[in-house]
Amino acid sequence: MSGLPMVPLGSIAKVYDGTHQTPQYVSEGVPFYSVEHLTRNDFSDTKFIAREIYDAEIRRVKIERGDILMTRIGSIGETRLIDWDAEASFYVSLALVKPKPDISSRYLAHAMQGAHFQRELYKRTLHVAFPKKINLGEISECTIPLPEIDEQERIASVLDAWDKAISEAKSSAETHSIRLEWLIDAVLSGKSRLSNFNKSWSRLQLSDVLTEHKLRSSGNEDVFSVSVHRGLVNQIEHLGRSFAAQSTDHYNRVMPGDIVYTKSPTGQFPLGVVKQSTLDEDAIVSPLYGVFRPKSKSLGSLLDALFSVPSFAVRYLTPLVQKGAKNTIAVTNNQFLEGRVMLPSDAEEIDALADLIKTQREIITHSKKLVSLLEDQKRGITQKFIGGKAGVSDRPGFSKTEA
């Protein structure tokens, strides 16, 4: 099979929009879907409308199993197949696509996420509008590749299998992220202890376990910044260019295992970010950053984990930091070291906790990389099948029976 026929979406499905008026919400009633539920792919936490409003709405259009919801205002082209018995209403920012009986809704949901249909949406989107949007009639005019029904089902089955694998990988990453959060909250606070360790913990000043070594650039190091989620990142690789001064002789050198404090507000860390360098070689950072050597790499790992929790970082830094009128942070490196943290006194317990954190983070990283790999593979397969280059049964070694 090659060169799939292209047909307007409106010829194989009916397209509706949701209610144009923001309803009056009630504490209990019928769920009301909007763009955020599709973008989060989570329909469990919604607002509610009264039953009588819902009953009036479904005289015009009713969400049913096998329909497809698509975002059309603000976010354009996010889709979700309704594969459950939904009793819900939806807002005008969403379009509801009802496939005709001879069209596979599973195939159509995948095809609407394909590159061709997304390009069609983009061409017809009103990008100058705020928020950007695509009109209902334009959605119906977007063309979509349409094989025979048996091929639709086979393609949908293959792509469903990839979706299942992606969902499982995401679930694994989420599970281990929750486990890491528990580990930091319960174990690194001393509330729960690892078995075989019973030496006391002490509330120590950071100056007892961190030392400012005050090393400067040797001229051979790359310039790095600090990312909340990725730690130390090469400025050119991460930001596209270097923001360093012409001369970096006065920049602070960061050795592997060092702790870096940015002293700049960002997101959930209004008083700055604290990260450990996991690099294998020296780097340099802005002279505005504080750089400290921990007593051990494992101890640095514990501090990195603790400061990765926004509430802990704010609680520790608030007594030490003064914020200026323009959101600037005033704190010296010595002041940063004055706060106290509960830490184990047993070096072996510190190593064991650091190993636990490292293992959890490696599992999370692996799961996220697997998600990216599977999503890339699915995009390639979608382009191959739905792009009209090959049918499932045309692939060498893949029979119709297997599909």
Side-chain angles (χ1 to χ4, degrees):
M1 178 186 70
S2 61
L4 285 175
M6 297 289 177
V7 301
L9 179 62
S11 69
I12 59 173
K14 288 191 174 183
V15 184
Y16 302 86
D17 61 0
T19 179
H20 285 236
Q21 294 184 352
T22 303
Q24 190 169 17
Y25 299 116
V26 294
S27 57
E28 292 183 2
V30 179
F32 188 74
Y33 297 159
S34 58
V35 167
E36 64 179 9
H37 299 107
L38 265 75
T39 55
R40 293 201 318 254
N41 193 23
D42 182 0
F43 294 80
S44 62
D45 183 16
T46 71
K47 294 179 179 178
F48 299 94
I49 61 172
R51 169 68 59 178
E52 55 268 26
I53 301 297
Y54 169 74
D55 290 340
E57 282 292 324
I58 62 175
R59 294 185 194 130
R60 181 179 68 90
V61 60
K62 180 182 180 182
I63 298 176
E64 298 173 297
R65 181 186 286 265
D67 292 347
I68 300 162
L69 281 171
M70 188 192 86
T71 58
R72 71 175 197 90
I73 297 178
S75 169
I76 309 290
E78 292 275 351
T79 63
R80 180 65 160 91
L81 174 65
I82 303 298
D83 54 4
W84 68 95
D85 294 320
E87 185 180 52
S89 188
F90 63 107
Y91 195 43
V92 66
S93 54
L94 300 177
L96 184 70
V97 179
K98 285 183 169 289
K100 291 184 176 180
D102 58 344
I103 300 297
S104 166
S105 58
R106 292 162 54 233
Y107 168 81
L108 186 56
H110 287 299
M112 288 173 66
Q113 279 296 305
H116 174 82
F117 188 77
Q118 291 292 314
R119 282 194 297 269
E120 289 277 295
L121 290 174
Y122 184 84
K123 286 190 296 185
R124 290 170 169 82
T125 293
L126 296 172
H127 295 280
V128 294
F130 184 79
K132 64 181 178 179
K133 65 179 181 178
I134 182 169
N135 292 326
L136 207 62
E138 295 289 341
I139 297 173
S140 295
E141 293 298 318
C142 292
T143 58
I144 205 150
L146 189 70
E148 296 296 327
I149 185 63
D150 58 342
E151 186 69 6
Q152 292 177 36
E153 294 292 355
R154 283 194 290 270
I155 291 172
S157 294
V158 172
L159 295 177
D160 283 349
W162 250 262
D163 278 345
K164 181 180 179 183
I166 291 168
S167 177
E168 289 174 351
K170 285 181 176 179
S171 178
S172 174
E174 184 177 347
T175 298
H176 287 286
S177 294
I178 292 171
R179 190 172 295 171
L180 178 60
E181 289 173 8
W182 173 86
L183 178 64
I184 294 171
D185 178 64
V187 180
L188 294 194
S189 65
K191 298 176 192 173
S192 299
R193 298 289 299 274
L194 298 180
S195 58
N196 302 323
F197 294 104
N198 51 29
K199 290 185 179 180
S200 63
W201 287 37
S202 302
R203 186 170 293 278
L204 301 174
Q205 274 195 320
L206 277 195
S207 58
D208 295 329
V209 295
L210 293 180
T211 304
E212 185 182 8
H213 54 60
K214 299 183 180 181
L215 295 176
R216 301 290 183 257
S217 170
S218 68
N220 299 317
E221 304 87 2
D222 289 334
V223 180
F224 277 66
S225 291
V226 176
S227 161
V228 171
H229 301 292
R230 295 176 56 192
L232 268 73
V233 290
N234 186 294
Q235 280 195 356
I236 295 176
E237 293 176 5
H238 184 63
L239 303 172
R241 70 182 190 86
S242 175
F243 291 85
Q246 187 171 3
S247 172
T248 58
D249 292 347
H250 60 303
Y251 273 45
N252 291 331
R253 192 192 316 175
V254 181
M255 297 185 291
D258 279 357
I259 293 291
V260 181
Y261 173 39
T262 65
K263 304 184 188 179
S264 54
T266 179
Q268 292 181 293
F269 297 87
L271 302 179
V273 177
V274 178
K275 289 290 179 182
Q276 181 181 38
S277 172
T278 58
L279 303 174
D280 295 324
E281 55 190 20
D282 290 359
I284 53 173
V285 295
S286 165
L288 300 177
Y289 291 3
V291 180
F292 311 92
R293 191 71 181 165
K295 276 193 171 181
S296 70
K297 187 175 181 180
S298 292
L299 187 56
S301 180
L302 299 196
L303 293 173
D304 177 279
L306 285 169
F307 279 98
S308 71
V309 180
S311 58
F312 176 88
V314 170
R315 188 167 62 250
Y316 176 88
L317 292 167
T318 296
L320 310 174
V321 171
Q322 290 185 340
K323 292 197 74 173
K326 296 183 178 180
N327 215 27
T328 54
I329 292 176
V331 58
T332 66
N333 291 341
N334 286 337
Q335 287 171 328
F336 170 71
L337 297 175
E338 288 175 0
R340 292 183 178 273
V341 180
M342 283 293 291
L343 292 169
S345 57
D346 186 341
E348 291 186 1
E349 186 173 8
I350 292 172
D351 289 340
L353 287 168
D355 285 343
L356 264 179
I357 292 167
K358 180 182 178 182
T359 299
Q360 285 299 310
R361 284 179 165 170
E362 286 176 347
I363 293 172
I364 293 167
T365 299
H366 173 76
S367 297
K368 289 180 177 178
K369 285 181 178 178
L370 180 57
V371 169
S372 296
L373 174 63
L374 290 169
E375 288 177 337
D376 287 343
Q377 289 176 340
K378 186 193 171 187
R379 277 190 287 270
I381 293 170
T382 302
Q383 178 60 25
K384 181 177 181 182
F385 294 158
I386 297 179
K389 295 183 179 179
V392 171
S393 56
D394 294 330
R395 288 192 299 155
F398 197 104
S399 68
K400 292 186 178 182
T401 303
E402 290 173 316

